[in-house]
Amino acid sequence: MMYTRLVSAGLFGMNAYLVDVEIDLMRGMPSFDIVGLPDAAVKESRDRVRAALKNCGYEVPVKKITVNLAPADLKKAGPMYDLPIFLALLAASGQTEADFTGSMFIGEVALDGTVRRVQGVLPMVIEAKEAGLKRVFVPAENGREGSVVQGIEVYPVHRVQDVVDFLEDLRPLSPAEPMCFAPSSCVSDADMADVMGQEFAKRALEIAAAGGHNALLIGPPGSGKSMLAKRIPSILPDMTFAEAIETTKIHSIAGFLTEEEPLVTVRPFRAPHHTVSPAGLSGGGAIPRPGEISLAHNGVLFLDELPEFSRPAMEILRQPIEEGTVTISRVNGTLSYPCNMMVIAAMNPCPCGYFGHPTRACNCSPFKVSQYLNKVSGPLLDRLDLHIEVAPVEFQHLSAGKKAEPSSSIKKRVDEARKIQRKRYEGTSILCNANLTPHMLREFCQVSEQGMKALKNAFEKMGMSARGYDRILKVARTIADLDGCDRIELTHISEALQYRSLDRKYWQHNN
């Protein structure tokens, strides 16, 4: 046989697609060419495969070797085609009679024939199942990751010889045990009980967690902003299986999964440094990979020292926060990654940090304060549902021996509120109040007469935008859910309005 075809896979954004690996051997000047829009890593497969063939005791065909990766109009990237090229070359040269029907092959091959882990195995196995294939051969280190998918056999392999011997019925090979999903709460030692005082901020973050809302924490250094933000995962609801699979796909594509933790079962908490580039946040590359925004999908994106981020980096958040997806356009195509996340930002009120402090004097000029605050644009500020002032901690709270309320207690209330929301939005794509569309606001956010009167007065006095109005309604809906109320009352509107006043205190005061 001089021609062989078998199946592998490629990645394009969040999704995988089938790749036919075709090999043809012809008479002529010996050569080894790979076509089908391969990148440098794919082109280097020929050298790895040649060496692996020799070191595994096989012959390298002295022929004109042509490898075609179809469809030829999509860019192929990464070393995952080594294993299928190796096997196809064996079959085309008559060195094996293995049956490749119904199988997919993925893996990088070392020079001694060892099969090494690759990125993006989970979406590839999902695509193999949807295409009706019976089994997938993956690197041993990716075995548990692939076994998350039910209904298809995933075979982890250590060496290429394992695959050949199995397909020739010379040696058995066991499929990976299907991995059972068990949702995990945040396993970190960080607990809300560690935070002394700050009851106002804790209440606000409970509301944020219950409705999936974005929040801005502003206060002087040492007031506990970062400490509070890092404890938010401990009060968030457990992930569902669908959320875990979608989040794991993103982390798989980015290459962040490990053999020990092949499935993301804890909500992500991403905290990029303020020097991160816009591409680092949104994602990038010739074939765009996920950035911090997408890696925080179904979790929390924490931006500490918000004004220190570059203006382009901050502004790139606007569309993803609004739409729940980040779109990256490149010459090779336009990709979209999901980013349904909570954005939690923290900042000082001025460069020295003590503007508005009750006991310490601020040494910044009004111009410097204004310049610092205005690094955060109005449109971005408008997209942060809750504006939370974190006051300095008083001595009596620090010295009190009484332990604060633990995260487990807060989480129970958050879970109950989310349960109400899931039931209310059953049959829609909405998972929490923060994702409500303008049309759904009118249906699900029924406000009492007194509440509507208070909202009308606030709208006129505060010069609120339409987006600000919508976000107050969403926050009030969440507060009502925490109280177990079907209708939004005056108390719910009043509390929601408390969390939209800092832009008047700080920003407008300095304009």
Side-chain angles (χ1 to χ4, degrees):
M1 183 185 294
M2 292 294 181
Y3 169 84
T4 301
R5 182 185 70 86
L6 48 74
V7 177
S8 187
L11 289 171
F12 191 75
M14 276 283 287
N15 302 313
Y17 59 92
L18 298 185
V19 173
D20 286 336
V21 178
E22 303 174 303
I23 285 194
D24 183 64
L25 304 183
M26 295 185 294
R27 293 179 180 177
M29 184 69 68
S31 62
F32 196 145
D33 296 314
I34 301 177
V35 298
L37 283 183
D39 72 350
V42 178
K43 288 178 181 177
E44 289 167 357
S45 286
R46 57 192 171 198
D47 298 314
R48 290 191 293 271
V49 169
R50 269 202 198 103
L53 283 167
K54 178 176 67 70
N55 291 325
C56 291
Y58 295 106
E59 292 182 5
V60 180
V62 186
K63 301 278 187 180
K64 179 177 173 59
I65 303 168
T66 304
V67 179
N68 180 42
L69 304 177
D73 60 338
L74 291 176
K75 185 81 172 173
K76 316 301 185 307
M80 75 266 298
Y81 304 107
D82 290 5
L83 180 59
I85 290 173
F86 181 100
L87 296 171
L89 197 51
L90 282 185
S93 60
Q95 297 181 74
T96 181
E97 295 182 358
D99 182 9
F100 302 135
T101 307
S103 301
M104 175 184 281
F105 304 90
I106 305 161
E108 176 186 346
V109 175
L111 303 189
D112 64 350
T114 303
V115 182
R116 291 175 173 157
R117 70 176 294 122
V118 294
Q119 299 175 7
V121 163
L122 179 59
M124 293 181 195
V125 175
I126 292 172
E127 178 62 24
K129 179 189 174 184
E130 291 176 352
L133 298 177
K134 297 177 182 177
R135 57 196 177 191
V136 183
F137 294 86
V138 303
E141 293 177 79
N142 293 112
R144 293 190 67 215
E145 176 187 343
S147 69
V148 171
V149 184
Q150 307 292 318
I152 188 169
E153 292 182 334
V154 177
Y155 289 87
V157 295
H158 293 276
R159 297 182 59 80
V160 289
Q161 198 63 50
D162 297 341
V163 186
V164 177
D165 290 348
F166 172 72
L167 293 176
E168 291 182 343
D169 294 326
L170 298 176
R171 189 190 305 170
L173 188 64
S174 301
E177 287 290 328
M179 186 174 174
C180 297
F181 172 70
S184 304
S185 297
C186 182
V187 292
S188 169
D189 293 333
D191 193 286
M192 283 292 183
D194 303 329
V195 183
M196 298 294 108
Q198 303 298 7
E199 299 307 319
F200 177 79
K202 286 183 191 175
R203 167 65 177 173
L205 291 179
E206 178 182 334
I207 294 166
H213 302 289
N214 306 316
L216 171 68
L217 300 165
I218 182 168
S223 55
K225 302 184 296 295
S226 300
M227 192 176 184
L228 284 162
K230 289 172 183 175
R231 281 155 179 74
I232 291 175
S234 67
I235 63 172
L236 289 175
D238 296 338
M239 294 183 86
T240 64
F241 181 66
E243 287 176 327
I245 287 290
E246 196 170 37
T247 306
T248 302
K249 282 174 70 174
I250 297 171
H251 286 246
S252 175
I253 293 164
F256 288 164
L257 297 183
T258 64
E259 191 175 359
E260 294 75 28
E261 296 181 2
L263 183 65
V264 179
T265 57
V266 177
R267 294 191 181 275
F269 182 85
R270 305 293 300 182
H273 192 260
H274 59 75
T275 56
V276 67
S277 67
L281 279 175
S282 65
I287 298 179
R289 297 293 185 186
E292 293 290 343
I293 291 174
S294 296
L295 291 168
H297 181 54
N298 290 322
V300 176
L301 178 68
F302 177 45
L303 304 175
D304 202 5
E305 305 296 347
L306 182 63
E308 302 301 332
F309 284 77
S310 70
R311 190 63 174 254
M314 280 193 281
E315 297 308 307
I316 213 165
L317 291 166
R318 285 159 59 172
Q319 179 248 349
I321 289 175
E322 200 73 19
E323 299 179 9
T325 58
V326 56
T327 302
I328 311 164
S329 296
R330 295 291 184 272
V331 174
N332 295 318
T334 299
L335 299 178
S336 291
Y337 287 110
C339 56
N340 186 16
M341 65 200 163
M342 283 176 63
V343 176
I344 305 296
M347 62 179 288
N348 296 328
C350 67
C352 79
Y354 296 105
F355 176 72
H357 195 282
T359 57
R360 293 192 59 169
C362 171
N363 57 22
C364 304
S365 67
F367 174 75
K368 278 189 175 180
V369 174
S370 176
Q371 191 178 42
Y372 183 80
L373 291 171
N374 287 332
K375 288 181 180 179
V376 182
S377 68
L380 178 58
L381 193 64
D382 215 21
R383 285 168 168 82
L384 301 175
D385 304 8
L386 294 95
H387 305 160
I388 308 161
E389 185 163 26
V390 185
V393 186
E394 296 179 0
F395 176 78
Q396 64 210 46
H397 291 133
L398 290 173
S399 59
K402 185 180 176 184
K403 200 168 177 70
E405 185 179 25
S407 293
S408 56
S409 299
I410 301 172
K411 185 176 181 296
K412 285 179 183 176
R413 296 194 293 270
V414 170
D415 287 340
E416 282 301 312
R418 287 288 185 110
K419 187 177 176 182
I420 291 169
Q421 291 166 48
R422 281 196 303 272
K423 186 176 179 181
R424 181 189 297 133
Y425 308 130
E426 197 172 2
T428 72
S429 60
I430 303 300
L431 299 174
C432 56
N433 291 331
N435 303 136
L436 281 172
T437 63
H439 172 74
M440 296 178 80
L441 276 175
R442 291 191 291 273
E443 182 180 353
F444 296 113
C445 295
Q446 299 297 321
V447 185
S448 68
E449 188 178 339
Q450 285 183 314
M452 188 56 75
K453 195 177 292 184
L455 188 55
K456 179 177 181 288
N457 290 337
F459 184 86
E460 292 171 352
K461 287 180 181 177
M462 296 169 68
M464 202 180 296
S465 67
R467 184 184 290 113
Y469 170 83
D470 286 353
R471 291 187 182 274
I472 282 176
L473 272 183
K474 292 176 186 179
V475 172
R477 176 69 273 168
T478 301
I479 297 169
D481 289 341
L482 284 167
D483 285 350
C485 297
D486 290 333
R487 191 172 67 161
I488 299 172
E489 303 292 344
L490 173 61
T491 55
H492 307 139
I493 291 290
S494 300
E495 185 174 2
L497 287 170
Q498 289 183 66
Y499 305 121
R500 296 293 293 193
S501 60
L502 289 190
D503 52 348
R504 291 172 59 81
K505 175 178 177 180
Y506 289 107
W507 276 265
Q508 290 188 19
H509 177 78
N510 286 284
N511 282 343

